[in-house]
Amino acid sequence: MTTSADTATYTEDFGVLADGSPVRRWTLERDGVRVRILTYGAIVQSVETPARDGSRAPVALGLPEVAGYEEFPNPYFGAVVGRYANRIGGASFVLDGRTHRLTANEGGNHLHGGARGFDKRVWDAVAVPDGVRMSLVSADGEEGYPGRLDFSVTYTLGPGGELRLGYRAVTDAPTVLNPTSHLYWNLAGAESGSALGQQLRIAAGRITPVDAASVPTGAFAPVAGGRFDFREMRAVGSGYDQNFVLDERAEGDDGVAAELYDAASGRVLTVRTSEPGLQLYTADHFDGRPFGPCAGIALETQHFPDSPNRPDFPSTVLRPGEEFVSRTAYAFSVR
């Protein structure tokens, strides 16, 4: 064990992948919150937080052994996904006049970085104050993306056990980049069954509507009065896989994007981000192996899906000489 600033940090072996690659697990503890992170996929395996009565339980879906993450890869449990989170329609885009064809791994579309995205890589890891930095190199041409990308995500625990994610990247050729953390939350407890009925607020007055393949049409639509209107806290139902356009904030202001509340335990999750969008996903497709339908709620902070093909969306282009910087934080409290 080491104590870095105010966060206790542990690291240990966590098994071996099918190809023989060793995986390490890092544990961060502070102010009653414990977070476990794997070097495989930069996966947040577990987040334990107190309830109203003081008892602590895991509130993020995770698996007990590394083999499970290879057996059930598609849900992306707790992983950092990239290079591009969400969908790129037609698995291709044009950048500076050149067409780049990506791996099509969801019908004709590209999803979450392709067949072997960031979630299926073993990352390098080093201790930093209050946490751990994980990094990898994505080679030029990997999954069809141009340019070598040097990418890192830093996990730290701040005061109150706030889990902070800081992403950074540089490239040697023009490319596109849109990472996210694919955490699934169930504030009643990761093993408690369906998360539906927990209360949600999203600071968004618009969405980017999608077609039958879940790719944005390029339009914007108001949420007022419809099933996507979470501007006031209300119960989450099923059937959501949608990008929300977060309300505008001053540059540099990581405003509140969403709040999730479980009345029985009293737990509250507050999500802040520098990103312009948030994907609400209710995991209806879970089939009981190992979690049932809607066992967790994903709140993926991101740029918009299919932005490389949508000039009206915020740009996801990264060029040589620039540094990509993105921040997301998860704060835990009780009512």
Side-chain angles (χ1 to χ4, degrees):
M1 182 187 81
T2 62
T3 300
S4 175
D6 296 301
T7 300
T9 305
Y10 312 75
T11 183
E12 60 190 326
D13 292 331
F14 191 71
V16 178
L17 299 174
D19 67 1
S21 300
V23 176
R24 299 281 292 172
R25 179 168 71 177
W26 290 69
T27 299
L28 314 179
E29 289 196 70
R30 182 170 182 174
D31 296 338
V33 174
R34 179 163 59 198
V35 179
R36 292 190 166 113
I37 308 157
L38 308 181
T39 54
Y40 180 61
I43 287 169
V44 177
Q45 182 209 11
S46 176
V47 180
E48 297 175 40
T49 70
R52 185 188 296 116
D53 64 5
S55 62
R56 190 166 68 174
V59 296
L61 304 191
L63 304 176
E65 298 178 345
V66 71
Y69 290 99
E70 291 192 285
E71 183 179 357
F72 302 107
N74 290 337
Y76 305 94
F77 291 120
V80 170
V81 297
R83 294 187 191 187
Y84 205 98
N86 218 301
R87 295 166 179 89
I88 295 179
S92 68
F93 64 94
V94 177
L95 179 59
D96 297 340
R98 180 183 173 188
T99 298
H100 298 277
R101 303 199 180 280
L102 308 175
T103 304
N105 62 320
E106 188 195 48
N109 300 322
H110 178 84
L111 175 68
H112 288 334
R116 189 173 183 265
F118 293 177
D119 60 295
K120 298 175 182 68
R121 298 276 303 276
V122 176
W123 299 51
D124 294 326
V126 295
V128 297
D130 292 323
V132 58
R133 177 178 298 117
M134 297 193 175
S135 59
L136 55 72
V137 173
S138 178
D140 178 33
E142 188 172 278
E143 301 295 320
Y145 289 99
R148 169 190 162 119
L149 187 80
D150 291 80
F151 184 87
S152 71
V153 57
T154 300
Y155 292 99
T156 56
L157 282 185
E162 180 179 79
L163 176 59
R164 299 169 178 170
L165 281 65
Y167 305 94
R168 290 184 177 272
V170 294
T171 183
D172 67 358
T175 192
V176 296
L177 178 63
N178 180 34
T180 194
S181 172
H182 213 300
L183 278 158
Y184 292 90
W185 301 100
N186 187 332
L187 299 187
E191 303 292 337
S192 66
S194 173
L196 299 186
Q198 294 178 26
Q199 303 286 310
L200 177 65
R201 182 175 75 86
I202 301 176
R206 296 181 297 163
I207 60 168
T208 52
V210 297
D211 62 19
S214 297
V215 176
T217 64
F220 296 89
V223 302
R227 67 184 300 265
F228 296 108
D229 193 347
F230 286 95
R231 293 175 297 171
E232 300 293 333
M233 191 165 274
R234 64 180 178 87
V236 181
S238 62
Y240 288 96
D241 189 7
Q242 176 61 53
N243 175 62
F244 288 73
V245 179
L246 296 176
D247 295 339
E248 290 189 13
R249 293 149 286 163
E251 187 172 349
D253 176 18
D254 297 355
V256 174
E259 289 184 308
L260 188 65
Y261 170 58
D262 175 57
S265 67
R267 292 188 181 94
V268 180
L269 168 68
T270 302
V271 183
R272 294 180 173 84
T273 188
S274 60
E275 290 295 293
L278 180 139
Q279 187 86 6
L280 169 62
Y281 177 50
T282 49
D284 296 65
H285 81 284
F286 283 5
D287 62 2
R289 298 173 304 132
F291 296 102
C294 307
I297 297 169
L299 301 168
E300 304 160 57
T301 60
Q302 61 182 11
H303 268 58
F304 304 164
D306 204 34
S307 290
N309 295 314
R310 302 294 176 181
D312 291 338
F313 287 1
S315 175
T316 55
V317 174
L318 179 66
R319 297 186 180 277
E322 301 174 344
E323 183 181 32
F324 173 87
V325 177
S326 176
R327 300 174 301 275
T328 293
Y330 305 100
F332 309 99
S333 58
V334 293
R335 291 179 189 161

